[in-house]
Amino acid sequence: MQAGSWCGLRVSRLRGITRLSPLLCDSAAPEEETDGRPLPPGWRSYTSPEGQRYYINCVTFPLPGEGPEQQLLKPNEWSYCDYFWADKKDPQGTTSVAGFEVLLQKQLKGKQMQKEMAEFIHERIKIEEEYAKNLSKLSLSPLALQEEGTLGEAWTQLKKSLHDEAEVHLKFSNKLHTEVEKPLLTFRGDNFKKDLKKYDHHIADLRKQLMSRYAGVEKARKALADRQKDLEVKTQQLEIKLSNKTEEDIKKARRKSTQAGDDLMRCVDLYNQTQCKWFEEMVTTSMELEKLEVERIEWIQQHLRQYTTLRHETDMFNQSMVEPVDQLLQNVDPSKDRELWVKENKTSEVRPVDMDI
């Protein structure tokens, strides 16, 4: 969209309330009523040529539930730019967090979750390294070293498989570090938080400008009311001859009233321009944060899938280490072992006989 095109959707497409904490333009304003219904605290109504509008913390909204139904900017996408115009109350309901702040906190939470996932993988690496160390140590054990025959061969192969398995787990831990842990740690470095602060400050500055423009409108509105009242009083006094005011005085009061009306129109125009810019920046920046979140999830998904791939590879390697042991165990033959042992250890094939007299 071209610049300003988002603004054309400002009234018809916005939903909810936007607040810039802790500055509340209307926090002290009394509650008003419309059609017999009380307005929430901080709301102030006025009537435009298009119908009733409401100021909520210096932002103009249509009355919720009235007028044409607002259409989403990105229908069916659950986009950030459509759902974070309102404040979010804390659990106690005492303070509110602006919708844009909720989006920023989501980014920071994502960064923390990414860090904790890396810590989890690091702990797994430590376990794998310790496991590999213990397997290697056990493979050198002299226990049952003197077992012989086919059973001895199977036992020797079993011990060797422990050493090979230790190597597999050590390689697995190394790959976990380079292909999973390190990418999780390095994805979006220290500058990421600085970038988020830039977004935060930019939107906050626009809201401050909007608040200033709002204050200007309120001041101009009051000035116009005062000028109109002064004109009305002078006109009445002239009509009933209670004053020495001349037609020139009336003309002067009318000029001031007209000037005050022009000033109000100018302030409203400046306010609308500022709100338009804030609206555009809210939409584009929230969509940028949405894009960052998609990138984060896809990045983590990619490397957790790498974790499962490495894990499957480790299982396959371990299985290949066990297969020779299985084969040799199948070949264990007690008769063969007895034959081998007898041939090596026999003392004599001559049997004793009876003694003759």
Side-chain angles (χ1 to χ4, degrees):
M1 289 188 176
Q2 298 296 322
S5 57
W6 289 117
C7 267
L9 304 173
R10 182 180 71 253
V11 172
S12 62
R13 294 191 174 183
L14 283 180
R15 287 184 174 182
I17 308 167
T18 303
R19 171 180 177 270
L20 181 63
S21 179
L23 299 175
L24 298 175
C25 296
D26 303 311
S27 59
E31 294 187 10
E32 306 173 35
E33 291 192 5
T34 176
D35 299 330
R37 293 175 302 170
L39 298 179
W43 291 36
R44 295 184 61 189
S45 67
Y46 74 99
T47 302
S48 73
E50 297 177 349
Q52 281 193 312
R53 296 289 183 267
Y54 291 85
Y55 291 127
I56 309 170
N57 300 323
C58 305
V59 180
T60 306
F61 293 95
L63 179 65
E66 295 190 2
E69 182 180 357
Q70 294 183 341
Q71 300 298 314
L72 299 176
L73 298 176
K74 300 183 71 177
N76 303 319
E77 294 190 28
W78 294 96
S79 175
Y80 287 175
C81 68
D82 277 316
Y83 295 99
F84 291 90
W85 298 102
D87 294 351
K88 181 178 180 180
K89 293 288 185 180
D90 67 1
Q92 290 74 31
T94 55
T95 58
S96 298
V97 178
F100 188 74
E101 180 66 21
V102 174
L103 294 177
L104 291 177
Q105 291 300 323
K106 170 63 174 172
Q107 294 292 321
L108 294 174
K109 180 180 178 181
K111 180 70 174 177
Q112 179 63 26
M113 293 302 97
Q114 172 189 324
K115 178 182 177 182
E116 291 183 13
M117 288 179 186
E119 291 176 357
F120 179 91
I121 298 299
H122 182 71
E123 291 301 313
R124 179 61 193 267
I125 290 172
K126 288 167 60 177
I127 291 172
E128 290 293 328
E129 290 175 343
E130 187 66 21
Y131 184 52
K133 178 182 177 181
N134 289 334
L135 284 177
S136 181
K137 180 179 179 181
L138 184 59
S139 70
L140 301 176
S141 171
L143 296 174
L145 184 62
Q146 296 181 354
E147 182 59 63
E148 301 169 330
T150 56
L151 181 58
E153 291 176 1
W155 178 250
T156 300
Q157 184 62 41
L158 186 149
K159 292 172 63 178
K160 181 179 182 300
S161 72
L162 292 185
H163 175 76
D164 295 339
E165 186 178 353
E167 290 296 317
V168 169
H169 282 276
L170 189 59
K171 290 179 180 179
F172 175 52
S173 67
N174 290 334
K175 287 186 176 182
L176 280 182
H177 172 67
T178 57
E179 299 179 23
V180 182
E181 179 193 18
K182 189 174 181 180
L184 289 177
L185 283 174
T186 57
F187 182 63
R188 293 181 183 159
D190 296 336
N191 289 332
F192 180 66
K193 289 186 178 181
K194 294 180 181 178
D195 292 339
L196 291 185
K197 286 184 178 180
K198 290 179 181 178
Y199 289 139
D200 189 15
H201 291 162
H202 181 53
I203 296 297
D205 286 343
L206 289 174
R207 283 302 302 272
K208 289 177 182 178
Q209 293 177 30
L210 187 60
M211 292 165 63
S212 177
R213 298 300 188 193
Y214 172 86
V217 169
E218 289 294 281
K219 183 178 179 181
R221 195 190 305 278
K222 184 178 183 303
L224 175 59
D226 292 341
R227 294 301 182 186
Q228 288 177 333
K229 184 177 180 180
D230 180 59
L231 175 60
E232 181 181 353
V233 170
K234 289 180 178 179
T235 301
Q236 291 176 350
Q237 289 176 343
L238 180 63
E239 290 176 351
I240 60 178
K241 309 299 183 179
L242 294 178
S243 172
N244 295 325
K245 299 297 182 183
T246 65
E247 287 290 340
E248 186 63 30
D249 293 326
I250 299 299
K251 291 180 181 179
K252 184 177 181 181
R254 186 175 290 114
R255 285 196 300 270
K256 289 183 177 180
S257 178
T258 302
Q259 181 61 47
D262 292 341
D263 289 343
L264 176 58
M265 292 179 63
R266 180 181 58 82
C267 289
V268 169
D269 184 55
L270 291 173
Y271 169 88
N272 286 335
Q273 291 179 34
T274 303
Q275 182 169 250
C276 180
K277 184 176 181 181
W278 169 76
F279 177 85
E280 290 177 338
E281 291 299 320
M282 275 287 292
V283 172
T284 56
T285 306
S286 64
M287 290 176 66
E288 180 64 24
L289 294 180
E290 180 179 306
K291 178 183 175 183
L292 291 174
E293 178 65 3
V294 171
E295 291 176 352
R296 183 187 76 90
I297 292 175
E298 291 180 345
W299 179 266
I300 292 176
Q301 178 193 32
Q302 173 188 343
H303 290 86
L304 291 186
R305 291 183 66 180
Q306 181 62 13
Y307 168 86
T308 61
T309 298
L310 293 173
R311 189 68 187 86
H312 287 314
E313 289 178 356
T314 300
D315 289 339
M316 288 188 293
F317 282 131
N318 286 339
Q319 183 62 32
S320 67
M321 303 302 172
V322 175
E323 287 175 358
V325 179
D326 285 338
Q327 186 63 40
L328 287 173
L329 287 174
Q330 292 175 10
N331 294 335
V332 170
D333 184 349
S335 299
K336 180 67 175 178
D337 285 1
R338 186 171 63 251
E339 175 188 348
L340 294 174
W341 187 84
V342 168
K343 287 179 178 180
E344 183 176 349
N345 294 281
K346 65 181 181 178
T347 59
S348 174
E349 297 177 20
V350 179
R351 296 186 299 278
V353 296
D354 292 340
M355 181 186 295
D356 290 333
I357 297 178

